[in-house]
Amino acid sequence: TMTHIRKNIFQIPTTDFSFKKIFGTEQNKRFLISFLNCFVSKYTGKIVDVTYLPTEHYGMVDTEKKAVFDLLCKDEEDRQFIIEMQKAPQPDYAERSIFYLSRAISASLERGQLNYQILPTYSVNILDFDLQEYRKKDHFFHAVFLKDQNNEILTQKVGIFFIKLCNFAASQTDLTEEMQNWLNVLKNMPDMDESDYDKQPAFFQDLLDECRISKLTDMEKDNYQKSVLEYEDVKRAVAYAKETAAKEFFEKGMEKGREEGMQQGREEALLHTARNLLGLGVSIADIVKATGLSEEQIRASE
């Protein structure tokens, strides 16, 4: 079994530095092409090659909010792909992804153009947290298209994909072997050692070789360390926010229970606390510890 002790052989792929090194450089674009084909080509069509595009986009008029993507590329069929890596929960992330998708579509139309033939544009989001909109679902993957009341897709030209590393488990049955390899490497790379490396298919050994910390130049090491510190700051801030909110909700809940002076009041307060903690993305196991409620009671409170 994989330990949670970072081995410091391979980079943390969810840091900005490593994400851009793996997916955003010309010499490594085979990794991006493979990733897109693995997860989204079923919906978009096979991707043979990609060209990287500028990541900063303004609106049709200068006063509109600009969007800065992690990565933006297009393939040989002029299909556009936004690729975002998000390490911590962000309010309204799903809505942000719709805004970014809209901005990429509008940027692809020339100003003043009257023809609304849009370029096929897809938003691919790799998330290290669960989305509020899908927190009752255990799936690691969501493909979102515009559909009518009969579940008929209006257009295949516009789609949003969410790939949730936090929901990946090797036992899932809806995973292809390649998906399993990708998710395993993205989720567990910092914990891997040479024996884990030896078990990987050749393609993923190449990917791990590109992410060896020992291969970085001094300048790259500095940039990587800055990226790791930023990544850890974000993780700590999220953990602290969850802990503080949990304590606050729990104390308020217990106070309400004491005021009512009845078991029913205490239980209602705890269930209210559990609902709020679920909304913050706290795991069910942690809520069990914090409230003393059973997993069944917590799931029922959703």
Side-chain angles (χ1 to χ4, degrees), residues 19-274:
F19 170 70
K20 285 182 177 150
K21 184 178 178 66
I22 297 167
F23 289 122
T25 54
E26 195 66 33
Q27 70 268 25
N28 285 338
K29 69 180 178 182
R30 68 190 186 281
F31 298 132
L32 177 60
I33 294 165
S34 163
F35 182 85
L36 292 173
N37 277 320
C38 177
F39 287 96
V40 307
S41 63
K42 172 182 170 185
Y43 305 91
T44 66
K46 187 172 170 60
I47 296 110
V48 176
D49 193 15
V50 295
T51 307
Y52 293 104
L53 301 172
T55 54
E56 196 165 295
H57 281 279
Y58 293 83
M60 290 296 208
V61 294
D62 295 336
T63 53
E64 285 182 344
K65 186 177 171 70
K66 77 172 179 179
V68 182
F69 312 124
D70 284 349
L71 290 177
L72 180 67
C73 64
K74 70 176 179 179
D75 75 351
E76 71 290 348
E77 300 285 340
D78 268 352
R79 292 175 290 221
Q80 297 189 116
F81 297 91
I82 303 160
I83 300 98
E84 292 276 310
M85 173 74 81
Q86 188 71 18
K87 10 184 203 301
Q90 185 170 331
D92 307 317
Y93 183 83
E95 291 185 22
R96 191 191 88 154
S97 65
I98 295 168
F99 167 72
Y100 274 29
L101 183 70
S102 306
R103 179 62 76 242
I105 292 169
S106 67
S108 69
L109 298 169
E110 291 178 16
R111 287 187 187 225
Q113 184 176 315
L114 296 176
N115 178 357
Y116 292 107
Q117 286 286 314
I118 64 172
L119 290 181
T121 306
Y122 306 97
S123 167
V124 182
N125 302 272
I126 306 164
L127 308 179
D128 209 5
F129 60 94
D130 208 350
L131 281 170
Q132 171 72 16
E133 291 80 0
Y134 291 125
R135 66 183 169 80
K136 292 187 186 179
K137 309 279 184 193
D138 292 329
H139 309 306
F140 73 92
F141 180 78
H142 300 277
V144 184
F145 288 87
L146 293 166
K147 296 182 179 181
D148 69 8
Q149 75 277 19
N150 300 316
N151 218 29
E152 296 286 332
I153 292 178
L154 176 65
T155 175
Q156 288 278 6
K157 282 184 167 186
V158 179
I160 303 178
F161 303 96
F162 298 110
I163 299 158
K164 300 183 299 188
L165 300 179
C166 62
N167 280 12
F168 162 61
S171 57
Q172 282 159 328
T173 53
D174 51 348
L175 282 166
T176 65
E177 190 178 343
E178 192 183 9
M179 284 177 178
Q180 197 157 0
N181 287 330
W182 265 113
L183 293 169
N184 179 43
V185 163
L186 289 176
K187 186 173 182 178
N188 297 317
M189 189 188 292
D191 301 328
M192 288 181 169
D193 58 23
E194 297 299 349
S195 66
D196 298 306
Y197 171 88
D198 291 339
K199 293 172 195 161
Q200 299 296 320
F203 179 85
F204 289 94
Q205 287 186 343
D206 285 351
L207 174 58
L208 287 166
D209 282 336
E210 282 300 314
C211 294
R212 285 184 182 276
I213 294 172
S214 60
K215 278 185 64 174
L216 297 173
T217 65
D218 287 346
M219 185 180 283
E220 284 175 330
K221 269 185 188 152
D222 284 347
N223 289 333
Y224 172 62
Q225 285 306 328
K226 282 177 195 161
S227 203
V228 169
L229 289 172
E230 181 191 73
Y231 168 87
E232 289 177 340
D233 280 349
V234 167
K235 288 288 185 191
R236 272 195 295 272
V238 169
Y240 178 72
K242 281 183 180 176
E243 188 185 314
T244 306
K247 191 164 180 264
E248 187 181 319
F249 281 130
F250 187 67
E251 284 170 357
K252 278 184 184 169
M254 292 309 289
E255 193 178 314
K256 183 182 172 190
R258 278 195 299 274
E259 280 170 10
E260 294 186 12
M262 295 167 60
Q263 177 60 32
Q264 185 184 354
R266 281 194 291 276
E267 191 165 309
E268 279 176 12
L270 288 169
L271 289 170
H272 175 71
T273 300

Side-chain angles (χ1 to χ4, degrees), residues 249-250 253-254 256 263-279 287 291-302:
F249 281 130
F250 187 67
M254 292 309 289
K256 183 182 172 190
Q263 177 60 32
Q264 185 184 354
R266 281 194 291 276
E267 191 165 309
E268 279 176 12
L270 288 169
L271 289 170
H272 175 71
T273 300
R275 275 194 297 274
N276 284 320
L277 295 178
L278 282 167
I287 298 171
T291 63
L293 294 169
S294 70
E295 188 174 324
E296 291 72 26
Q297 286 173 302
I298 293 162
R299 285 192 185 280
S301 78
E302 293 188 274

